Amino acid sequence: MSAVITTHGLTKRFGPHTAVDSLDLHVPRGTIYGFLGPNGSGKSTTMKMLLGLTQPSSGGIEILGEPLTRASRTRLLPSIGSMIEAPPGYGHLTGRENMRIVQDMLELSTPQIDRALATVRLTEQQHKLVRNYSLGMKQRLGIAMALARDPSLLVLDEPTNGLDPAGIEEIRTLLVELSGQGITIMVSSHLLDEIDKMAGILGILAGGRMIFQGSREQLFEHSVPDLIIETPEQQAALAQVATIAPGAPDADGIRISGIDKDRTAQVVHRLALAGIPIHQVRREQQSLEDVFMDLTGREGLL
Ligand SMILES: Nc1ncnc2c1ncn2[C@@H]1O[C@H](COP(=O)(O)OP(=O)(O)OP(=O)(O)O)[C@@H](O)[C@H]1O
Ligand SMILES: [Mg+2]
């Protein structure tokens, strides 16, 4: 799969502080890339570098297959829609008037503006002052501004921040719909839960470093589930498995924590050889949240 964004050793230092540390990002074409990390982990700084809004201290960026330089930036930017940190828009103007500014700036057509407003479901509210918009409407207007140019790549920094569950669901539905139209979307959040349902690929930052990049399924592979074996011969089973993995008594048998597939196979084999009756064997999956917490050392806010 070709990449829309690739970085090599991307680094940003602010004085002695390294905010983004040697990132190798890989955002495949057509995916929703969920960019996760606790507050201060470097998400916004990374996105600003990708958009040429901030200069990297070192490392390289390729956007749509081209190295991002001062010269290529002007050519590449029209195909990237973005919303960084707070949603944009002037409160004393209506949604439509704000869109008009974007239209004039980017020389867009009126149908493009109408379409963007319709996509984010703001057509009916377009003549209201933005200061009277709800936070969700402001976020959607921000997305409309990013969308109006018909971009092939959307970079959205925390578009669900501060929204209630219904608002989050609305943005999620919208992004999935846009992704279905072939737009590659990079979306950040500090809450795993807001992103994991829509993202095909997750990139997880902690302290400026990428601690995981891959699919949800690959993230689950980092989980070390418990193994639960139901057996009436609890003590005998515990004695048999002791040299493979220490277990503990459980309601109807024994429980072995944090055990991988290989050792699970060994345990089952050992018990079967010893003639211990097994009524049920099951693995109890960690939640994605738990996996995430383990990876970030339970230091983050996620
Ligand atoms: N202009 C700047 N000058 C100095 N330090 C900065 C600057 N911008 C960001 N930082 C620092 O870089 C680190 C990363 O900040 P960044 O805003 O990228 O994090 P974030 O992951 O977007 O956090 P949040 O979830 O709070 O938005 C932080 O320690 C921050 O204080
Ligand atoms: Mg941020």
Side-chain angles (χ1 to χ4, degrees):
M1 219 186 309
S2 63
V4 168
I5 304 175
T6 315
T7 72
H8 313 276
L10 186 65
T11 299
K12 180 68 182 184
R13 287 182 215 94
F14 293 109
H17 176 63
T18 305
V20 175
D21 194 355
S22 320
L23 282 202
D24 292 332
L25 267 176
H26 187 85
V27 179
R29 187 179 299 276
T31 50
I32 298 184
Y33 183 100
F35 196 39
L36 280 161
N39 293 130
S41 56
K43 303 178 298 292
S44 299
T45 305
T46 302
M47 287 177 148
K48 284 179 199 163
M49 288 192 282
L50 298 177
L51 296 165
L53 300 172
T54 254
Q55 274 300 107
S57 305
S58 58
I61 300 172
E62 274 174 38
I63 306 275
L64 303 164
E66 259 195 84
L68 184 68
T69 60
R70 230 178 267 277
S72 68
R73 182 174 177 261
T74 328
R75 196 168 54 251
L76 289 169
L77 273 191
S79 49
I80 308 174
S82 65
M83 179 167 81
I84 299 294
E85 290 177 333
Y90 297 106
H92 66 285
L93 300 179
T94 66
R96 182 81 202 185
E97 286 162 348
N98 274 286
M99 290 301 285
R100 183 64 201 255
I101 293 173
V102 175
Q103 179 178 4
D104 291 347
M105 213 162 57
L106 300 173
E107 297 176 4
L108 304 175
S109 68
T110 301
Q112 279 177 299
I113 299 299
D114 290 338
R115 210 161 47 232
L117 281 168
T119 304
V120 302
R121 296 169 191 97
L122 275 182
T123 305
E124 280 178 27
Q125 314 279 354
Q126 62 178 305
H127 300 300
K128 256 194 185 173
L129 291 182
V130 167
R131 67 163 167 257
N132 297 330
Y133 274 13
S134 70
L135 182 59
M137 288 161 69
K138 285 181 188 156
Q139 302 277 39
R140 282 187 280 140
L141 179 66
I143 296 174
M145 289 176 165
L147 263 184
R149 62 182 75 192
D150 294 321
S152 55
L153 169 64
L154 266 183
V155 177
L156 304 174
D157 192 13
E158 309 229 23
T160 49
N161 200 14
L163 299 187
D164 61 18
I168 292 169
E169 192 53 44
E170 215 163 60
I171 301 277
R172 201 185 278 144
T173 308
L174 171 62
L175 297 188
V176 169
E177 190 181 308
L178 292 172
S179 166
Q181 294 168 13
I183 302 176
T184 305
I185 301 171
M186 180 180 189
V187 51
S188 74
S189 176
H190 60 279
L191 295 170
L192 175 70
D193 192 44
E194 288 182 1
I195 264 196
D196 113 70
K197 288 187 198 112
M198 63 177 158
I201 303 280
L202 298 168
I204 301 178
L205 277 188
R209 298 190 69 96
M210 184 80 88
I211 54 168
F212 172 82
Q213 184 171 235
S215 67
R216 193 175 191 277
E217 290 69 33
Q218 285 167 325
L219 183 57
F220 259 129
E221 284 168 19
H222 286 257
S223 87
V224 274
D226 288 358
L227 180 69
I228 293 146
I229 298 166
E230 286 184 13
T231 172
E233 294 187 22
Q234 207 176 46
Q235 289 311 318
L238 284 174
Q240 283 297 331
V241 303
T243 55
I244 304 170
D250 200 56
D252 297 307
I254 65 171
R255 173 185 288 261
I256 304 170
S257 304
I259 179 170
D260 60 22
K261 287 178 184 166
D262 285 347
R263 284 194 306 156
T264 297
Q266 284 177 34
V267 162
V268 172
H269 184 64
R270 173 77 57 86
L271 293 175
L273 274 185
I276 291 175
I278 299 171
H279 294 166
Q280 200 188 126
V281 177
R282 64 174 196 276
R283 286 155 72 84
E284 214 170 74
Q285 194 72 44
Q286 278 181 303
S287 70
L288 208 57
E289 204 79 37
D290 284 339
V291 179
F292 184 85
M293 290 297 194
D294 282 350
L295 275 176
T296 52
R298 299 193 178 267
E299 285 164 9
L301 300 170
L302 287 152

